[in-house]
Amino acid sequence: GDEAGRVVRAFGAPFGPVGFRRRATRPEAAMAPLGGLGTGSRGPNGAAPVRRLTIKLTKAPPRPPDGFEEEAWTSLSAAIDAIHDKTSSVRSEHKTPVPSYETLYRSVEDVCVHKKAPWLFDKLREKLKTRVGARVRELKSSYENSVGMDPVAFLCAFDTAWRDHCDAVDTTRRVFLYLDRMRVAGGVNDEFRARAANQTRSGNDALFAEPRSIWDVGVRLFRDALVGDEETTETTANDSPSKARLARAAAAAARAESNSGTGGDSVSRGQSVSQKTAHSGVGTKSFDAARLASQGALLLIAKERSGESKDSRGLLRRATRAFAALGVYAATFEPMFLEQTAVFYAREGDDLSVALTPFEYGAHCETRLREELNLCDDALDASTKKTCARVVAKHLVEKHLQRMLDEGFTKAFKENRVGDIARFFQLAKRCGGGSGGGGLETITKTTKDQREALASTLTDASNSSTKFVDAVRRAFGVSLRSLGTEIVKDEQREKDMVMRLLTLKSLADDAVHRAFESGETFVATNREAFEHFVNQRGNKPPELIAKFVDSKLRASSAKAAGTSENDSSSFVAIDHDAETEKALDGALSLFRHVQGKDAFEAFYKRDLAKRLLLGKSASVDAEKSFIGKLKAECGAQFTAKLEGMFKDVDASRDLMRAYNESLLGSKTKQNDDDEDAQGKTAPLKEIETYVNVLTAGSWPTYTALTLRLPLPLERARDAYASFYLGKHSGRKLAWLDSLGHCVLRARFDKGEKELCTSTFQAAVLLLFNDFESLTAKAVVEKTGMDDGECRRTLQSLACGKTRVLTKTPKGREILDDDVFTVNGSFTEKLFRVKVNSIQMKETEKETDETNERVFQDRQYQIDACLVRIMKTRRATTHASLVAETFAQISFPAKPVDVKKRIESLIEREYLERDRNDPQTYNYLA
């Protein structure tokens, strides 16, 4: 509260047991008399007059006796000596009893209340200066007079002296708390205000201003006595104004550790103190206590780095906090620490980078960085952490990162060592001043210039670390391209290309996600690498991807994925569907990188047609789901023909339903007595016919093969043609016997069997209803098939796994005179037997035909693109036309191909060369 009305009770004070009460004098104050008479004016409305009583002071306020402050200071000085000496309450020199704490506090309050605070503060400062000077001289003399005291022992002595000093100053501050609060509050006393004004007028910076708090005075005095005025001025300029708060926090931590009895330091504080030695070249003038204590701290750090115990962390933490409080941390200790760190890790990096493997050395670097950061967190100032990490990364990682990547990255990628790959990436982020955390630190400076300076520094550090991260990214790209190119160009293992690429894709995606934190540059590198090697063999990768999709959607793959009869069919279906979906998604991920998507469409459409027409599709829903994904990837135009194929299959199903209904109706009207009618319908009663009507533009182009069908099959085909053309006039049906299949019922010696065959196989087998044996030449003549096709069909029936016919003489080669007969002793466990066709060399022929069709389609697209460009520009140069064409087409092409199409358009008079400039083309309307 304010001073008015305060009662000062000074128990044991120099001016006796009676205190003085200060009263505020207010002459204008008036109060109504109690029971007395007075005069005054009447109130409003004729009320009784207000009576007032004026009270005046007749005596001056009491004054303290002269010289009371000197007597108070005698007690306070004795108390300060007792605090610093850690003695009892009786001063041994003056035999003066030290008053109680409350008495001392009231003495300070009395002196300050009576405007003697500046005088008391000067006395206190001089007293502290004497005591602190004596303590520091004792510390220095312990080193100068000791024999063999190493820096660590001096550090222990320094730590003891600093903690004793902190305890003494803190206790002194508690006694002088009233004075301390007056100073810190801003100098309520006139003399304090005058001192502050003089400092401001003299132009002294706030950093050099006289400290206000008693704690700051104690720290300043200890620092002046320890390092001298010259170094004090130098170091203070490097310290921030918040060092006082940091010093108080350090002292509080030192007191807490001192009170807790921490005694785990690895070096004894009393080591070699009593020994005497002559220190050559070391005198009081050249003695640098701060540097010597810093050397002791560095020795502790060096021992810890060499693998010795970390029990000295407590001593090291107290020492660095003391350095920060005294203002010698940034100027003395930190440069020495960083220099030692650089030398140590430069030597260690040169030695271990050769002795260890890249993976072992990377793990060692990671461990060292973690240890240094833990050291900074536990024992050093927070400002050192980033600089220390930068120094360690520079000498331990930066110099050897490229060697680690060259020797270890490809191997780590092949073996899917994601942990080692991630370690390379994190170490690269540490290089060049990066923080390793992927982002800039928060800028907390106060002034605009400081914020801009720090932001510039952090940006430069980020840019520097980007260089090393790019080195990791390049190593990733080189390794990925090398492995991918090796897979794509391996013609001996073409069948496994897609599976190997999917495995590589999984490894690359896993590395990008887990090791590289899904960075945009690494995602782009992954995509560019796959686009590079997937398109190196023209149309072969799209063809193999289409075959892979066919293998997953074909019914045989679903059957192969099944289990034994005792297993649950529902779980098998779920597992197979999940596996198929995963495989198709992988194939689609490879398809995204393919430039020749039109080639994939051609091969996929050919395989889809076989699955639909031969009933080999494992799941129509899976087929449509995959086409939906292709539509989302490439657009509706890309899948229009594929969707049209499914529409044709659905329409054919409806047509067959209508055909069977019409056939059934016609049979009910027949006259059973009409032999001619019976002769015409008898074959239709025995044959179940199913016809797929295909739209020529949606389905692949097939070569029509000649075949003379047996009479029952020919009548069934003619009946359906008559029905269809009757419903759709103006259309034409072209029969593709090569895509048909039949189910025949055959009688053998050991029973009946159903044979699933192709139309060609059925035509050959039906001949043996009329002939017991036939030569190959005779079979060719009677069926009208192509000679090569007929020989392959006979080979599948007589030389394959399911031998329905026997061949004389035996052998796989079919000659004209070879004789074929029905195998009466044919046996098979199953009732329905699949007779496989010979997978002949026609696969290569079909592939060549598909590639040729793709090439022709591309020529048409190039022609349309050229005409479209010339129609817009009317005239352009050759280079510009070629460049614009490449920008618009979506498939790989060569400049030679474009040039040939330009020549073709000139021949067809779509374009002409300019008469004055042969490199310029003009469009002809």
Side-chain angles (χ1 to χ4, degrees):
D2 60 2
E3 299 178 6
R6 185 188 300 270
V7 177
V8 180
R9 298 181 179 88
F11 297 98
F15 41 84
V18 180
F20 297 90
R21 181 187 300 273
R22 297 188 61 195
R23 298 177 180 177
T25 303
R26 299 179 61 183
E28 72 281 4
M31 60 184 298
L34 300 176
L37 298 177
T39 61
S41 59
R42 288 182 173 273
N45 301 325
V50 179
R51 300 178 180 181
R52 301 181 182 274
L53 178 64
T54 302
I55 300 176
K56 298 181 179 180
L57 295 177
T58 58
K59 296 182 179 180
R63 296 179 178 274
D66 295 336
F68 81 96
E69 66 273 11
E70 294 291 345
E71 296 184 17
W73 171 247
T74 301
S75 300
L76 294 172
S77 178
I80 294 173
D81 290 333
I83 291 172
H84 281 75
D85 294 335
K86 296 184 178 180
T87 60
S88 61
S89 60
V90 179
R91 187 86 165 99
S92 60
E93 180 180 355
H94 304 288
K95 305 297 181 181
T96 304
V98 179
S100 64
Y101 173 77
E102 182 179 2
T103 302
L104 295 173
Y105 182 86
R106 293 302 180 183
S107 298
V108 174
E109 184 179 7
D110 288 339
V111 175
C112 294
V113 166
H114 291 86
K115 301 182 179 181
K116 296 292 184 177
W119 174 85
L120 182 59
F121 182 80
D122 292 339
K123 284 286 187 179
L124 174 61
R125 180 172 53 191
E126 293 299 324
K127 184 66 177 179
L128 290 177
K129 183 175 182 181
T130 301
R131 298 298 308 186
V132 171
R135 189 185 300 278
V136 174
R137 284 193 300 273
E138 181 182 356
L139 172 65
K140 292 184 178 181
S141 62
S142 65
Y143 176 77
E144 294 174 348
N145 299 328
S146 63
V147 178
M149 175 181 281
D150 61 355
V152 176
F154 179 79
L155 179 65
C156 294
F158 167 80
D159 176 61
T160 302
W162 169 252
R163 287 194 290 173
D164 291 343
H165 171 73
C166 291
D167 292 340
V169 173
D170 184 68
T171 306
T172 303
R173 176 180 172 274
R174 294 179 185 178
V175 174
F176 290 84
L177 185 60
Y178 192 88
L179 174 64
D180 191 53
R181 288 176 176 174
M182 290 185 65
R183 295 268 306 175
V184 174
V188 297
N189 188 275
D190 294 338
E191 187 172 348
F192 284 162
R193 293 195 187 99
R195 289 186 181 183
N198 291 335
Q199 287 181 356
T200 304
R201 284 194 297 270
S202 63
N204 291 334
D205 190 86
L207 292 175
F208 302 99
E210 182 181 3
R212 287 187 175 182
S213 69
I214 296 174
W215 172 257
D216 293 342
V217 171
V219 172
R220 174 69 65 84
L221 293 175
F222 192 93
R223 180 173 58 186
D224 293 344
L226 184 69
V227 301
D229 293 338
E230 181 178 353
E231 188 167 348
T232 299
T233 303
E234 178 183 355
T235 57
T236 305
N238 296 325
D239 295 336
S240 65
S242 63
K243 286 298 182 182
R245 295 190 298 271
L246 182 61
R248 287 194 292 271
R255 289 193 301 273
E257 295 190 43
S258 176
N259 296 332
S260 63
T262 304
D265 297 340
S266 61
V267 182
S268 174
R269 293 188 178 91
Q271 181 180 359
S272 301
V273 174
S274 61
Q275 300 179 6
K276 301 291 189 291
T277 184
H279 298 276
S280 58
V282 179
T284 305
K285 188 173 183 179
S286 61
F287 181 78
D288 191 345
R291 180 169 293 274
L292 186 60
S294 299
Q295 291 174 355
L298 295 179
L299 284 176
L300 294 178
I301 295 174
K303 290 181 180 180
E304 183 175 321
R305 286 171 176 168
S306 62
E308 297 184 14
S309 176
K310 299 181 181 179
D311 294 338
S312 60
R313 280 282 177 94
L315 173 61
L316 185 61
R317 177 167 54 251
R318 294 192 301 271
T320 54
R321 290 176 177 175
F323 295 158
L326 296 173
V328 298
Y329 183 91
T332 302
F333 172 77
E334 189 175 34
M336 297 172 63
F337 168 74
L338 296 177
E339 181 181 1
Q340 174 183 288
T341 302
V343 173
F344 177 82
Y345 284 111
R347 181 175 63 254
E348 183 178 82
D350 293 339
D351 295 340
L352 295 183
S353 63
V354 179
L356 301 178
T357 64
F359 309 123
E360 294 172 344
Y361 185 73
H364 174 76
C365 293
E366 188 178 49
T367 301
R368 281 301 197 184
L369 277 168
R370 183 169 56 252
E371 290 176 351
E372 291 299 323
L373 294 179
N374 289 338
L375 173 65
C376 293
D377 290 335
D378 293 345
L380 303 184
D381 191 74
S383 61
T384 309
K385 184 175 182 179
K386 183 176 180 180
T387 309
C388 177
R390 184 180 305 177
V391 171
V392 175
K394 177 180 180 181
H395 294 281
L396 199 60
V397 182
E398 289 183 16
K399 295 170 59 177
H400 312 287
L401 178 64
Q402 192 61 48
R403 187 193 68 83
M404 286 193 292
L405 296 176
D406 294 340
E407 298 180 6
F409 194 93
T410 301
K411 182 179 179 181
F413 187 69
K414 281 184 178 180
E415 299 175 359
N416 195 24
R417 303 174 68 164
V418 181
D420 291 320
I421 296 175
R423 184 176 295 113
F424 291 151
F425 177 65
Q426 294 298 331
L427 291 176
K429 291 172 67 176
R430 285 286 182 188
C431 296
S435 62
L440 297 179
E441 296 179 354
T442 306
I443 299 176
T444 57
K445 294 292 183 178
T446 54
T447 66
K448 180 179 180 181
D449 294 339
Q450 289 172 328
R451 286 196 300 270
E452 293 177 354
L454 182 58
S456 176
T457 302
L458 295 175
T459 303
D460 293 341
S462 178
N463 294 335
S464 300
S465 63
T466 303
K467 176 179 65 175
F468 298 95
V469 173
D470 285 342
V472 179
R473 181 184 57 79
R474 288 192 299 270
F476 171 64
V478 170
S479 300
L480 186 56
R481 290 192 179 199
S482 175
L483 295 175
T485 303
E486 180 182 350
I487 293 173
V488 172
K489 291 189 175 182
D490 188 0
E491 298 182 2
Q492 302 297 327
R493 302 176 61 185
E494 280 186 352
K495 294 182 179 179
D496 300 331
M497 178 191 292
V498 177
M499 286 302 302
R500 294 171 67 191
L501 287 178
L502 288 178
T503 302
L504 182 63
K505 179 70 173 174
S506 177
L507 293 179
D509 292 344
D510 193 36
V512 169
H513 177 67
R514 293 173 53 194
F516 304 133
E517 302 172 355
S518 300
E520 294 182 1
T521 56
F522 288 91
V523 172
T525 300
N526 185 18
R527 181 181 64 253
E528 293 169 0
F530 270 87
E531 290 176 355
H532 171 75
F533 57 73
V534 165
N535 298 287
Q536 285 196 350
R537 289 188 61 190
N539 294 335
K540 180 57 69 175
E543 175 189 352
L544 296 177
I545 294 174
K547 288 183 178 179
F548 177 80
V549 174
D550 177 64
S551 67
K552 296 302 178 182
L553 294 176
R554 189 179 288 272
S556 58
S557 65
K559 186 176 181 180
T563 58
S564 63
E565 296 178 358
N566 297 329
D567 293 333
S568 174
S569 60
S570 61
F571 290 112
V572 172
I574 293 174
D575 292 343
H576 173 65
D577 291 343
E579 180 184 353
T580 302
E581 191 73 16
K582 182 179 179 180
L584 294 178
D585 289 341
L588 190 64
S589 67
L590 293 179
F591 169 74
R592 292 190 181 98
H593 304 297
V594 172
Q595 294 180 357
K597 290 181 171 57
D598 54 344
F600 172 84
E601 179 194 9
F603 287 104
Y604 175 76
K605 184 166 64 173
R606 186 191 68 182
D607 296 333
L608 175 61
K610 290 182 179 180
R611 294 196 299 273
L612 294 179
L613 297 178
L614 301 179
K616 294 297 183 180
S617 180
S619 171
V620 177
D621 293 336
E623 297 276 7
K624 293 183 177 180
S625 174
F626 185 74
I627 291 178
K629 294 177 181 179
L630 291 177
K631 184 176 182 179
E633 188 71 26
C634 303
Q637 184 178 0
F638 184 82
T639 59
K641 294 181 179 180
L642 303 178
E643 293 174 343
M645 295 170 67
F646 281 94
K647 293 179 181 178
D648 288 344
V649 172
D650 295 338
S652 298
R653 188 180 299 111
D654 296 337
L655 284 172
M656 285 307 305
R657 188 180 299 109
Y659 171 70
N660 291 329
E661 291 176 356
S662 66
L663 189 62
L664 182 60
S666 64
K667 290 179 181 179
T668 56
K669 296 179 181 180
Q670 289 177 353
N671 186 355
D672 295 339
D673 296 334
D674 190 351
E675 296 181 358
D676 295 336
Q678 288 181 359
K680 293 180 181 179
T681 59
L684 301 181
K685 293 180 181 179
E686 299 175 0
I687 298 176
E688 295 180 3
T689 306
Y690 192 93
V691 180
N692 283 302
V693 181
L694 314 179
T695 303
S698 299
W699 294 76
T701 303
Y702 297 102
T703 302
L705 300 177
T706 59
L707 175 64
R708 189 179 300 119
L709 290 176
L711 184 60
L713 297 182
E714 186 176 0
R715 286 180 177 177
R717 184 174 68 177
D718 293 341
Y720 183 84
S722 176
F723 163 78
Y724 182 82
L725 295 177
K727 289 181 67 68
H728 303 281
S729 61
R731 295 187 181 182
K732 181 181 178 181
L733 290 177
W735 296 92
L736 300 175
D737 297 321
S738 60
L739 300 178
H741 61 278
C742 296
V743 178
L744 303 179
R745 180 166 295 178
R747 288 187 296 271
F748 297 97
D749 295 343
K750 296 186 178 181
E752 290 187 356
K753 300 290 183 181
E754 287 187 356
L755 304 178
C756 300
T757 65
S758 67
T759 306
F760 291 160
Q761 291 172 333
V764 172
L765 291 176
L766 288 175
L767 292 176
F768 290 92
N769 286 335
D770 300 327
F771 302 94
E772 290 185 3
S773 64
L774 288 171
T775 62
K777 186 177 181 180
V779 172
V780 172
E781 292 175 355
K782 293 184 179 297
T783 58
M785 283 191 292
D786 178 72
D787 184 72
E789 186 67 33
C790 184
R791 293 178 187 275
R792 285 190 291 270
T793 303
L794 289 172
Q795 191 177 27
S796 67
L797 294 172
C799 304
K801 182 178 180 182
T802 306
R803 299 188 178 186
V804 183
L805 302 178
T806 58
K807 173 181 173 292
T808 305
K810 296 183 180 298
R812 293 191 61 83
E813 187 177 358
I814 306 298
L815 301 178
D816 291 343
D817 296 333
D818 291 344
V819 179
F820 295 89
T821 58
V822 177
N823 183 10
S825 61
F826 175 79
T827 59
E828 185 68 31
K829 294 181 180 180
L830 301 176
F831 176 74
R832 175 168 289 192
V833 182
K834 175 69 172 67
V835 181
N836 293 323
S837 300
I838 297 297
Q839 298 298 324
M840 57 287 188
K841 311 285 182 173
E842 70 175 4
T843 302
E844 298 181 0
K845 182 179 179 182
E846 289 181 0
T847 301
D848 294 339
E849 291 176 354
T850 303
N851 285 325
E852 183 63 26
R853 285 195 296 272
V854 171
F855 177 73
Q856 291 177 359
D857 291 340
R858 289 179 177 179
Q859 285 184 330
Y860 299 150
Q861 293 184 45
I862 293 175
D863 290 348
C865 183
L866 290 171
V867 172
R868 190 164 54 247
I869 294 172
M870 291 302 301
K871 191 173 183 180
T872 303
R873 297 190 177 184
R874 312 301 295 183
T876 186
T877 61
H878 175 80
S880 177
L881 181 60
V882 172
E884 185 67 22
T885 302
F886 277 113
Q888 292 189 17
I889 60 177
S890 59
F891 51 84
K894 299 178 181 179
V896 177
D897 299 333
V898 178
K899 184 177 181 181
K900 289 180 179 180
R901 302 319 303 163
I902 293 175
E903 296 295 338
S904 175
L905 292 175
I906 292 176
E907 293 176 359
R908 290 180 286 170
E909 297 183 353
Y910 284 92
L911 308 178
E912 69 173 0
R913 295 185 185 274
D914 190 85
R915 297 180 180 179
N916 299 324
D917 186 3
Q919 294 295 321
T920 301
Y921 303 114
N922 297 323
Y923 176 71
L924 299 178

